[in-house]
Amino acid sequence: MEVLIVGSGNMARGIGLRLVRGGHRVRIADREPDKAADLAAELGDGAAGEPLNNAAGAEVVVLATPYEGSRQVAEMWAGDLAGKTVVDICNPVDFDTFDGLVTPAGKSAAEEIAEAAPGARVVKAFNTTFASRLANSGPLDVFIAGDDPEAKQVVSGLCLDADLRPIDVGGLKHAAALESFQLLHMKVQDQISGNWSTELALKSA
């Protein structure tokens, strides 16, 4: 399957590595084509970099960009994305306070992206998985929310090929819960890491 990943950051790297290992062709698109080319070279055979032009030819488009960027791409490519499976991975966190989300009350980033590209089959996935673990760990859980059963099946298949465990949480309305959950996950990472390190130390003593 041909997958276009928009963005060249750490999440794009982690997802791209998994997909290439799973036998899929990956295209990396970025506003800075050199960054896309560099990441594609890092991913190896089966990957290519390109400018942020359009989604032509891709069966799946992964928006591996921050909230505002993902919404802008959805608006810009609304026509191109019609009928395609579009994966939103963003977490619309208020990074000034880390104490809330910047989406309108009662609406998720995924739902906003679906409104911006009404013909796209939007699926929320990967937002609860940290980039470092995607790149370096074995099997991981990936929560998936979406209203299109076929699109969710496509994303689930990609996960399985990438040695990931897809977990279907229901319709796209549940994307808001996934985004809120990850906000809390980010807030307590230092405590989780500390407890995990302490537990390991006690077990090895």
Side-chain angles (χ1 to χ4, degrees):
M1 185 171 290
E2 184 158 305
V3 181
L4 175 65
I5 300 179
V6 178
S8 57
N10 290 331
M11 284 298 292
R13 177 179 291 102
I15 294 170
L17 282 169
R18 292 274 184 163
L19 293 179
V20 168
R21 290 171 189 163
H24 297 280
R25 175 169 170 74
V26 174
R27 292 159 49 195
I28 304 293
D30 196 277
R31 288 187 171 91
E32 299 182 50
D34 288 347
K35 289 186 176 180
D38 287 346
L39 178 53
E42 183 181 337
L43 298 181
D45 293 341
E50 62 189 62
L52 190 65
N53 288 334
N54 58 63
E59 299 166 80
V60 177
V61 177
V62 178
L63 299 177
T65 46
Y67 164 60
E68 290 293 347
S70 294
R71 200 172 58 173
Q72 289 169 8
V73 170
E75 292 170 354
M76 180 172 64
W77 287 358
D80 284 343
L81 297 177
K84 295 184 185 295
T85 297
V86 176
V87 183
D88 163 44
I89 75 165
C90 77
N91 284 300
V93 173
D94 184 339
F95 289 104
D96 290 331
T97 65
F98 267 94
D99 202 34
L101 302 176
V102 296
T103 43
K107 184 175 288 186
S108 67
E111 289 169 307
E112 287 200 287
I113 287 167
E115 288 180 2
R121 304 187 300 174
V122 177
V123 176
K124 187 78 181 186
F126 295 106
N127 77 296
T128 61
T129 309
F130 287 101
S132 59
R133 298 202 66 201
L134 271 172
N136 300 314
S137 298
L140 300 170
D141 294 334
V142 176
F143 296 103
I144 295 172
D147 294 332
D148 187 303
E150 185 178 343
K152 287 198 290 185
Q153 186 175 5
V154 167
V155 177
S156 294
L158 289 175
C159 288
L160 291 170
D161 291 343
D163 195 25
L164 298 165
R165 294 181 293 257
I167 299 175
D168 187 344
V169 302
L172 200 62
K173 66 181 181 180
H174 295 300
L178 294 178
E179 293 168 8
S180 295
F181 166 79
Q182 188 62 6
L183 168 64
L184 295 179
H185 198 184
M186 290 176 177
K187 284 170 66 74
V188 300
Q189 264 305 290
D190 57 337
Q191 300 176 60
I192 293 174
S193 298
N195 290 340
W196 179 72
S197 298
T198 300
E199 184 179 343
L200 280 182
L202 289 173
K203 286 182 177 179
S204 62

